Amino acid sequence: MSMTQQEADFASRIEAESMQNPVYTGVEHAILEQRLPPGTRLAEAELAEFYGVSRTIVRAGLQALAHSHLVTLRPNRGASVANPSPREAREVFEARELLEPRSAREAALHAGRADIRALRLHAQEEHDAMSRNESGRALRLSGRFHVMIAQIANQRTIAEIIENLVSRSSLIIALYWTRSSTRCDEGCHNALIEAIARHDADEAEDLMRSHLVELHSALRFDVSDTSNLTLKDMLSQ
Amino acid sequence: MSMTQQEADFASRIEAESMQNPVYTGVEHAILEQRLPPGTRLAEAELAEFYGVSRTIVRAGLQALAHSHLVTLRPNRGASVANPSPREAREVFEARELLEPRSAREAALHAGRADIRALRLHAQEEHDAMSRNESGRALRLSGRFHVMIAQIANQRTIAEIIENLVSRSSLIIALYWTRSSTRCDEGCHNALIEAIARHDADEAEDLMRSHLVELHSALRFDVSDTSNLTLKDMLSQ
DNA sequence: TTTATTGAAAACGTATACAATCTGCGGATC
DNA sequence: GATCCGCAGATTGTATACGTTTTCAATAAA
């Protein structure tokens, strides 16, 4: 097998199958935007009808989502949106605090002009979503910002791990978030971009660490309620 | 949803589906023992016949293996054992060097008597496998040793990430390993157990770090050949 | 009122059928 | 001799059928 083949494999051909599965992409999108709250039941037939595919495709998508910890599968009981425990929530943020500061450092060292432009553009999109009160979209974009930094750090393996942890954070925030707005994100993210643009590795690392600690400390592990819209409502748009 | 339910979910009900899929467990086992070298084609019909299940089960198992980066899926071209690039190999070990020393530290702090007994027993099994010249088995057990430490550290999220990185390391070693034996493992692992038994966190962390650096430095990224046994031969026993 | 039972409907698990795509070889063409 | 079709066989992709399990409401008993 040639090296180009090998590199192509590594460039995430692995996920290609999932990424063009409408169930995977649609449900993931809805979870990241908190339109599908934790615990929501995901009946196979309902998803099959909504996306116009057979249950075969639905099951493949749900299995992929289960591997990302966004969905829980229980034998003979079907799928539901994952419901991370307080312990899992704490562990996910501990893992992020271990990995992301180093990624921010590497990003500051490796970022090119195009990377910084992309980050600024993304921050603008986040800002727009916030000002239009599209809080779900804002949350998803906020997560993607962290993934972008990990990708700029040019360590695909770790970037992939971070991407997964960030996705799970959306569910954790849905369950345990106390503050009404994510406005702190805007300042933190902008400060991070400036540090990266200056190639100030120490500052980027510190900013990322404190940003994550702040997020983590805003979680409260008491009860939370789930509303009851229909599955179709939550997937639409 | 009750808290016990939630905790049960987190206790990896997610992987339960995969773990009782004979294709997943069988092919994973064979890859970890290097009976299935990188690049080996995994035809669905062949696996279906060997395990006595339908292609439905085979496909589910292969998709799960692809998510673990042990198998590569290419649309309309089928599955083959993953062929990690030098870059991926480097990144996997970099990630391990970032995560595992901290896990060893936590394991030293948290290990109970039962944990230490299990580690010693496991080291004995590793030793036995080596002395019986079952190098594949020895390699798989050596990987499991690292996973055990991560589990003792009591951080399931990170333990799961490490488990995945360790699995991929078996493929990397198959491709890029230069030394004939893994005898260095035996000494390193025993020293680690003693440090953990003494609850010497600093020592455990250092030993793990140097162990991983040693493994990493024994990789050579030039050509390598793949033999050509039949799939059935490699899966048997 | 509460609890237990039970049976029908709904949902999941697996196998299989068929369509779409790829592979490899033989033959035609240049 | 090399290259380019083109078809047959093999392989993967998707839908569907059917058996099994679960769910839930209606009924009966305590």
Side-chain angles (χ1 to χ4, degrees):
Chain A
M1 190 177 282
S2 75
M3 201 59 79
T4 52
Q5 165 61 55
Q6 208 176 36
E7 281 293 338
D9 283 358
F10 185 39
S12 231
R13 176 80 49 253
I14 306 106
E15 313 293 343
E17 201 94 344
S18 301
M19 289 311 172
Q20 64 191 50
N21 179 325
V23 179
Y24 184 91
T25 56
V27 173
E28 181 193 45
H29 202 274
I31 290 176
L32 295 189
E33 294 198 345
Q34 296 190 340
R35 299 197 309 276
L36 283 170
T40 307
R41 190 156 155 47
L42 300 168
E44 295 180 2
E46 208 170 346
L47 291 168
E49 193 196 9
F50 185 84
Y51 289 108
V53 295
S54 75
R55 280 179 53 223
T56 306
I57 309 296
V58 172
R59 287 176 68 83
L62 290 175
Q63 284 176 351
L65 288 162
H67 278 283
S68 304
H69 296 271
L70 295 179
V71 154
T72 299
L73 296 179
R74 284 183 305 165
N76 288 312
R77 318 285 287 301
S80 50
V81 178
N83 205 358
S85 65
R87 170 175 175 167
E88 181 178 351
R90 178 176 51 74
E91 290 191 3
V92 165
F93 272 91
E94 282 173 8
R96 290 186 63 175
E97 285 160 27
L98 192 58
L99 294 173
E100 291 198 59
R102 163 112 29 150
S103 274
R105 159 176 289 278
E106 296 295 318
L109 295 174
H110 292 116
R113 296 203 169 278
D115 295 323
I116 290 156
R117 216 175 312 128
L119 285 175
R120 285 198 219 273
L121 193 69
H122 189 90
Q124 182 61 44
E125 278 191 83
E126 274 187 68
H127 175 80
D128 293 348
M130 281 298 294
S131 54
R132 270 179 280 163
N133 265 46
E134 299 171 339
S135 69
R137 181 158 197 271
L139 177 66
R140 180 174 56 79
L141 291 173
S142 168
R144 262 218 75 72
F145 178 80
H146 287 253
V147 174
M148 285 176 76
I149 288 179
Q151 285 170 343
I152 291 170
N154 202 32
Q155 231 278 17
R156 289 179 196 176
T157 300
I158 289 178
E160 206 173 295
I161 294 168
I162 289 175
E163 182 167 14
N164 185 257
L165 294 170
V166 166
S167 296
R168 295 158 76 174
S169 298
S170 282
L171 285 172
I172 291 166
I173 288 170
L175 282 168
Y176 305 118
W177 188 250
T178 54
R179 308 200 185 147
S180 53
S181 104
T182 48
R183 189 164 311 144
C184 84
D185 269 14
E186 192 168 329
C188 289
H189 287 191
N190 283 328
L192 253 169
I193 293 176
E194 295 319 311
I196 290 170
R198 274 185 274 115
H199 302 293
D200 186 340
D202 291 336
E203 176 79 356
E205 183 173 340
D206 282 349
L207 284 171
M208 180 62 90
R209 195 189 326 278
S210 58
H211 177 40
L212 288 170
V213 167
E214 188 173 359
L215 286 177
H216 190 165
S217 67
L219 301 179
R220 285 291 174 275
F221 299 120
D222 39 31
V223 291
S224 68
D225 59 344
T226 53
S227 59
N228 44 5
L229 303 172
T230 77
L231 179 56
K232 193 184 166 193
D233 289 340
M234 296 186 281
L235 288 170
S236 296
Q237 180 41 228
Chain B
M1 190 175 281
S2 74
M3 201 60 78
T4 51
Q5 166 62 58
Q6 208 175 37
E7 282 293 339
D9 283 359
F10 185 38
S12 230
R13 177 76 52 253
I14 305 107
E15 314 292 344
E17 201 94 345
S18 300
M19 289 311 172
Q20 63 191 50
N21 179 324
V23 179
Y24 184 91
T25 56
V27 174
E28 182 194 43
H29 202 273
I31 290 176
L32 295 190
E33 294 198 345
Q34 297 189 339
R35 298 197 308 277
L36 284 170
T40 307
R41 193 156 151 47
L42 300 168
E44 295 180 3
E46 208 170 347
L47 291 168
E49 193 196 8
F50 185 84
Y51 290 108
V53 295
S54 75
R55 281 179 51 223
T56 305
I57 310 298
V58 172
R59 287 175 68 83
L62 290 176
Q63 284 175 352
L65 288 162
H67 279 284
S68 304
H69 296 271
L70 294 181
V71 155
T72 299
L73 297 179
R74 284 183 306 166
N76 289 310
R77 317 282 292 293
S80 50
V81 178
N83 205 356
S85 65
R87 172 176 174 165
E88 181 177 352
R90 179 175 51 75
E91 290 191 5
V92 164
F93 272 91
E94 282 174 9
R96 289 186 62 175
E97 284 160 26
L98 192 58
L99 295 173
E100 292 199 59
R102 162 109 32 149
S103 273
R105 160 175 289 276
E106 296 296 318
L109 295 173
H110 292 116
R113 295 204 170 279
D115 294 323
I116 290 157
R117 214 175 315 128
L119 285 176
R120 286 198 217 273
L121 194 68
H122 189 90
Q124 182 61 44
E125 278 191 82
E126 274 187 68
H127 176 80
D128 293 348
M130 280 299 292
S131 55
R132 268 179 282 163
N133 264 48
E134 300 172 338
S135 70
R137 181 159 197 269
L139 178 66
R140 180 174 57 79
L141 291 173
S142 168
R144 262 219 75 71
F145 178 80
H146 286 254
V147 174
M148 285 176 77
I149 288 180
Q151 285 170 343
I152 292 170
N154 202 33
Q155 230 277 18
R156 291 180 195 176
T157 300
I158 288 178
E160 207 173 295
I161 295 168
I162 289 174
E163 182 167 14
N164 186 255
L165 294 170
V166 166
S167 296
R168 294 158 77 174
S169 298
S170 282
L171 285 172
I172 291 166
I173 287 170
L175 282 168
Y176 305 117
W177 188 250
T178 55
R179 307 197 187 151
S180 53
S181 103
T182 49
R183 188 163 312 145
C184 84
D185 269 15
E186 193 168 329
C188 288
H189 287 192
N190 283 328
L192 252 169
I193 293 176
E194 294 319 312
I196 290 171
R198 274 185 276 116
H199 301 293
D200 186 340
D202 290 335
E203 176 77 356
E205 184 173 340
D206 282 348
L207 283 171
M208 180 62 89
R209 196 188 325 278
S210 59
H211 177 41
L212 288 170
V213 167
E214 187 173 0
L215 285 178
H216 190 165
S217 69
L219 301 179
R220 285 293 173 271
F221 299 120
D222 39 32
V223 291
S224 69
D225 59 346
T226 52
S227 60
N228 43 5
L229 304 171
T230 78
L231 178 56
K232 194 185 166 193
D233 288 339
M234 296 186 281
L235 288 170
S236 296
Q237 182 39 235

